[in-house]
């Protein structure tokens, strides 16, 4: 079990993510430009009226996308924040490989910001000195709304997405608090794989009262698809929770890949989303498209992540 000090550290770190992003934005005269990703479909990000309070990452040109070629990747942000650009390099990279990635919130940071970052209220403590968390600005229901939107667009003859989604290629994902949001959506029968990043459900006895993060381990029993955890090694404050999740999951294929030394911050804002995004793309291509070349990153004793010294991979029901 985690100590109460470690739990408090995790909570404060999760809560601080939006404030850190604001401070970095204020201190940086010019944010790095968006990248188009390394895949075959150069990507962009945008907001659309048909899906308020979400940011869409997609191939810049939809004209060349064949029917049923697009996959869907819906994403909850760190701290369950409403900055849908807070992991933009990761999401642009995913989109460049033929996916529509949808993040909760607005473009509140980086190039093309459409809404100012929301100021953080003063931290409140209870009578025992523990943090009191107000409801976060996003809910797991926003991930469900993104899935509903994509399927509606797929059926709308007037939509640029008409017929372009593969309705059987839907993934839910998220970073930190957003990873728990993804686990809450995972039981939905439309979901075909789950990607939990720098996150995990709290070990019993260590959780806190937080409307999005206070979820029981029994939620794992509702997983019905292959599931992939990406953690940052022992220095990741979500490491113990994520590894405990992995230990408990026995009924579906599951892998946990630790990017050693990455810590809780991961590689979301590295060029092309760094090594973590490359691993996620391989997982999506394998699970959603049946790409056996991509499967080589995970399958067998000499798999790509097995032999890359940057990673430590554990898996069940995969080989």
């Amino acid at each position: 079990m985690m100590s109460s000090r470690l739990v408090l550290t995790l909570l404060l770190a999760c809560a601080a993510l939006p404030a850190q992003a604001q401070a970095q934005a204020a201190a940086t005269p010019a944010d790095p430009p968006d990248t188009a990703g390394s895949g075959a479909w150069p990507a962009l990000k945008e907001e659309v009226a048909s899906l308020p309070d979400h940011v869409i990452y997609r191939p810049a040109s939809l004209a060349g996308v064949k029917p049923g070629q697009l996959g869907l990747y819906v994403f909850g942000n760190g701290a369950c924040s409403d900055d849908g650009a807070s992991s933009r390099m990761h999401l642009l990279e995913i989109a460049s490989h033929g996916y529509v990635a949808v993040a909760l919130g607005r473009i509140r940071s980086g190039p093309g910001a459409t809404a100012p970052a929301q100021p953080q209220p003063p931290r409140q403590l209870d009578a025992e000195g523990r943090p009191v968390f107000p409801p976060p600005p996003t809910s797991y229901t926003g991930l469900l709304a993104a899935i509903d939107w994509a399927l509606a667009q797929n059926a709308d003859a007037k939509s640029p997405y008409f017929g372009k989604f593969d309705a059987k290629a839907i993934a839910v994902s998220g970073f930190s608090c957003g990873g728990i949001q993804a686990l809450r959506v995972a039981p939905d029968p439309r979901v075909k794989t789950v990607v939990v990043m720098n996150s995990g459900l709290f070990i019993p006895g260590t959780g806190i009262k937080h409307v999005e993060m206070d979820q029981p381990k029994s939620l794992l029993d509702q997983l019905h698809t292959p599931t992939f955890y990406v953690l940052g090694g022992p220095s990741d404050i979500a490491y113990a929770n994520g590894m405990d999740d992995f230990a408990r999951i026995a009924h579906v294929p599951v892998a946990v890949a630790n990017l050693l030394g990455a810590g809780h911050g991961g590689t979301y804002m590295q060029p092309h989303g760094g090594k973590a995004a490359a691993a996620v793309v391989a997982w999506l291509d394998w699970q959603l498209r049946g790409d056996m070349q991509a499967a080589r990153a995970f399958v067998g004793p000499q798999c790509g992540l097995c032999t890359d010294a940057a990673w430590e991979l554990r898996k069940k029901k995969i080989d």
Side-chain angles (χ1 to χ4, degrees):
M1 284 190 171
M2 290 187 295
S3 69
S4 58
R5 179 181 294 275
L6 183 54
V7 173
L8 180 58
T9 300
L10 172 59
L11 298 176
L12 294 177
C14 290
L17 284 171
Q20 290 170 355
Q22 293 172 37
Q24 289 169 359
T28 306
D31 285 297
D34 288 349
T35 58
S38 67
W41 287 274
L44 56 74
K45 71 177 190 294
E46 64 180 356
E47 296 176 2
V48 297
S50 58
L51 187 63
D53 299 316
H54 293 71
V55 180
I56 295 171
Y57 297 77
R58 63 167 176 85
S61 174
L62 295 173
V65 177
K66 298 177 182 178
Q69 196 169 19
L70 291 176
L72 178 66
Y73 180 80
V74 298
F75 189 83
N77 307 311
C80 293
S81 83
D82 60 353
D83 182 0
S86 56
S87 296
R88 58 191 170 91
M89 298 302 191
H90 174 83
L91 296 167
L92 286 162
E93 179 64 16
I94 301 297
S96 79
H97 290 269
Y99 296 90
V100 173
V102 183
L104 303 184
R106 304 284 304 279
I107 302 174
R108 297 191 183 277
S109 62
T114 59
Q118 299 297 309
Q120 296 300 301
R123 176 63 56 213
Q124 301 293 320
L125 301 177
D126 66 14
E128 297 180 7
R130 296 173 301 188
V132 176
F133 290 90
T138 66
S139 165
Y140 75 96
T141 58
L143 300 178
L144 293 169
I147 296 174
D148 292 342
W149 170 84
L151 294 178
Q153 293 292 307
N154 204 40
D156 183 354
K158 297 180 180 179
S159 168
Y161 295 100
F162 177 58
K164 294 186 182 294
F165 281 108
D166 179 354
K168 296 182 179 180
I170 297 175
V172 293
S173 182
F175 164 35
S176 193
C177 182
I180 297 177
Q181 290 180 321
L183 284 168
R184 295 188 72 181
V185 174
D188 190 298
R190 299 172 296 181
V191 172
K192 301 307 178 185
T193 194
V194 182
V195 180
V196 181
M197 305 192 69
N198 302 99
S199 186
L201 300 172
F202 282 102
I203 296 171
T206 68
I208 45 76
K209 293 181 179 180
H210 184 286
V211 67
E212 295 294 304
M213 292 194 290
D214 185 16
Q215 303 302 317
K217 288 285 187 179
S218 59
L219 188 61
L220 301 174
D221 297 334
Q222 300 181 55
L223 290 169
H224 65 96
T225 69
T227 300
F228 183 36
Y229 282 75
V230 180
L231 303 174
S235 61
D236 185 343
I237 53 179
Y239 176 81
N241 290 336
M243 295 304 294
D244 184 74
D245 280 8
F246 172 76
R248 292 169 184 264
I249 298 170
H251 63 292
V252 296
V254 60
V256 57
N258 273 282
L259 186 55
L260 301 174
H264 194 58
T267 64
Y268 301 94
M269 290 301 291
Q270 290 183 11
H272 304 311
K275 279 183 168 290
V280 171
V281 168
W283 180 267
L284 296 176
D285 284 353
W286 177 30
Q287 297 298 329
L288 300 182
R289 293 172 168 157
D291 185 335
M292 297 313 296
Q293 181 69 23
R296 293 173 62 184
F298 306 95
V299 176
Q302 297 300 311
C303 73
L305 269 64
C306 302
T307 56
D308 185 340
W311 291 96
E312 179 186 79
L313 179 70
R314 303 183 194 184
K315 48 191 174 173
K316 300 176 186 177
K317 296 183 177 293
I318 287 190
D319 294 328

